[in-house]
Amino acid sequence: MKFRKVFSSFPLFLMLAFSCSVMGEPTIAVFIDSPIVNPGSGEPPSIHVSGQGSDETMIVDVHVALLSPDGTIHEYPDWNTDLKPWLPSFRLKSGAKVNPIRLTDLNNLPFELTPGNWRLAGAITKPGTLEFLSLDIQSFLVTDQSTNAEGGLRIGNLTVSEFRSAISTLPTSTPTISSTRSASGTFIQICPNQSFGDTGDELMSQFLDKQTIDQCEMITTNDIDPGEDPGKDPNTCADALFLNAGEKLELVSDQAGSIDVPLSPSSGPSMGFFYFAQLPETFFQTEARYTFSGNGGPDIGPFSTSATLAPLTVTAPDLLSGTATLNPGAPLDVRWNGQGGQGTVFVTLTATKLNFDMESPSNSTTDTRTIHCRFQDDGNGTIPGELIEKLTGGLASSPPFSTPIVMSVYRHRTTFFNTNNNELDYGMYTLISGESGSLQLP
């Protein structure tokens, strides 16, 4: 693997402080390219940091650190364990804003990335103290290939989400606005009767977003060849066991009480064990903390995990109006209620192009194009014009061969958890809040 140079100089940080931010408290944010890290396999993920000043110039200490599963704190850039800050007595100018800068990757560290739940932390403190002015922590999971060698993977997936959608079936139709708020949980064992090998981490990475912060990329998906045999893929595994975690789970908000998340009536060994509950609108409050827990059952022991999420509102474009348009030749600015740059917001635009075969309509095909962006949660992001041009190229602007471009903006928080007895290879708890709607071509 190629070792990337570490950018840690004080002057660089000063040069990157530019533009005005919303006045308030100083804020630091940290990011990692991939939430799953398999040491020695593939390109190591990078870590990034961003920040903004308050309404007055301050002298502060700036910390960036890796927290190991056993609680050891390794401080960037020399990875000391003495709590020595990266930037001591740093002059943080009022209104300054530092967009995400890459610090280093997780290659060639002077300590071992032991398997388990690690944390990347960033902090602004008063000089010479650990009195926090701002703190941001992002979880990532370091895997151990040996744990995935036999007996498949035991995976827990917990999700709490709220989504508002206004999707039109045709460009000229009035959108139907819907709101869904739910909590769900599943526990499953994949490939229980065969060796899973090293493909476990590759598979799990498909469920998680691996992308550099403040970057957009284009994904093009053509129709799958119906004659293709998925069994030819050596990594394919059709066997799975659904795991019983008890009669119900529980979701508790520190601001809106508790909700039972019961086992679906149709659940069973053959149909699967699926936990689900609709949530009231009042359950989602600004900066509420949501704790998902279970008392355990025949296959899964007790667990408890917590995370915080603020509801997301998009201010531009107006996705819920049904009248938003997309200029094929210009960048697209996206605006939402930011959270000081801490955390991640994903933006996707999906377009479908119909390749109609006039002579043989049954041979018609469709191409799906998706722009996928990962932005820091500071309230704004821009999708480059060249990607918008690629997305819209060749699309019809009127029926019958046109379909709306669907745009989604959602705040996304993922943390890793395990049962009290460490029975899971991967336990993921995800909070999502977002909006989606249709964009029309002019």
Side-chain angles (χ1 to χ4, degrees), residues 378-396:
D378 60 355
N380 63 86
T382 300
I383 303 175
E386 58 266 27
L387 290 185
I388 300 294
E389 186 175 5
K390 291 180 180 178
L391 180 79
T392 58
L395 295 182

Side-chain angles (χ1 to χ4, degrees), residues 355-365:
N355 303 312
F356 189 73
D357 190 328
M358 298 294 292
E359 297 182 357
S360 180
S362 62
N363 292 330
S364 299
T365 61

Side-chain angles (χ1 to χ4, degrees), residues 289-305:
R289 188 164 188 82
Y290 303 96
T291 300
F292 221 139
S293 63
N295 293 326
D299 305 316
I300 293 294
F303 69 89
S304 180
T305 180

Side-chain angles (χ1 to χ4, degrees), residues 189-204:
Q189 187 170 358
I190 298 177
C191 302
N193 302 313
Q194 58 186 282
S195 175
F196 208 74
D198 297 338
T199 61
D201 300 324
E202 298 172 8
L203 175 68
M204 288 311 303

Side-chain angles (χ1 to χ4, degrees), residues 6 15 22 35 53 64 73 97 151 168 187 194 202 206 222 246 264 269 296 304 321 327 369 381 429-430 440:
V6 175
M15 287 188 293
V22 177
V64 174
I73 300 175
K97 181 177 180 180
S168 303
F187 296 86
Q194 58 186 282
E202 298 172 8
Q206 297 174 11
N222 296 322
S264 170
S304 180
S321 68
N327 186 343
R369 310 166 185 171
Y429 177 32
T430 303
Q440 313 299 340

Side-chain angles (χ1 to χ4, degrees), residues 155-179:
I155 300 168
N157 186 22
L158 306 171
T159 303
V160 176
S161 67
E162 64 140 5
F163 228 92
R164 297 168 301 283
S165 301
I167 304 298
S168 303
T169 55
L170 292 172
T172 56
S173 64
T174 302
T176 300
I177 299 177
S178 62
S179 298

Side-chain angles (χ1 to χ4, degrees), residues 325-401:
T325 59
L326 180 65
N327 186 343
L332 177 63
D333 291 328
V334 187
R335 300 288 182 267
W336 64 90
N337 59 328
Q339 299 297 294
Q342 293 187 341
T344 300
V345 165
F346 291 101
V347 178
T348 63
L349 279 79
T350 300
T352 302
K353 181 178 182 294
L354 175 62
N355 303 312
F356 189 73
D357 190 328
M358 298 294 292
E359 297 182 357
S360 180
S362 62
N363 292 330
S364 299
T365 61
T366 57
D367 294 336
T368 301
R369 310 166 185 171
T370 299
I371 295 175
H372 190 275
C373 303
R374 181 186 182 215
F375 294 121
Q376 64 170 328
D377 196 352
D378 60 355
N380 63 86
T382 300
I383 303 175
E386 58 266 27
L387 290 185
I388 300 294
E389 186 175 5
K390 291 180 180 178
L391 180 79
T392 58
L395 295 182
S397 58
S398 59
F401 303 122

